[in-house]
Amino acid sequence: MTTDEFEQRAPAPEQWARAHSSAEFVALRRRLRGFVFPVAVLFLAWYLLYVLLADYAHGFMSIQLFGNINVGLVLGLLQFVSTFGITALYVRFANRRLDPLAGKVRTELEGEEE
């Protein structure tokens, strides 16, 4: 697509403003924030707990669980597991709750009918 074709298809500023204030867009933004903010706070709290334990609870973090595996290593690996878990939850949430609304907003903005 050339720049001229893109500019011809791009919505006008009034259309952007109308779409931004539409009920669907407001609901979309509310749903996104309702997921992202609490999950971000929980993950950051979990990460902060890990850092504080690593810094101030050496005895606890060095407890051997089996072999050379200690509590600190397990909690560190769980940071990665929780990141992948959050990603999977977000993809599922977006597919079910965000994408249908985003599709409606996009269709109205682009003037297409499905």
Side-chain angles (χ1 to χ4, degrees), residues 10-30:
E14 306 83 44
Q15 290 173 299
W16 284 115
R18 190 169 45 249
H20 190 264
S21 62
S22 70
E24 291 87 4
F25 187 82
V26 170
L28 177 64
R29 188 174 47 208
R30 187 178 325 114

Side-chain angles (χ1 to χ4, degrees), residues 27-83:
L28 177 64
R29 188 174 47 208
R30 187 178 325 114
R31 285 182 190 179
L32 176 66
R33 289 178 178 174
F35 180 88
V36 170
F37 290 156
V39 171
V41 167
L42 286 172
F43 181 78
L44 290 173
W46 157 234
Y47 181 71
L48 179 63
L49 174 67
Y50 173 70
V51 170
L52 291 174
L53 286 173
D55 198 30
Y56 297 107
H58 295 265
F60 173 71
M61 295 294 268
S62 64
I63 294 173
Q64 296 289 326
L65 298 176
F66 50 91
N68 288 329
I69 308 299
N70 61 25
V71 172
L73 180 61
V74 171
L75 291 179
L77 292 174
L78 285 174
Q79 290 289 317
F80 290 101
V81 172
S82 63
T83 300

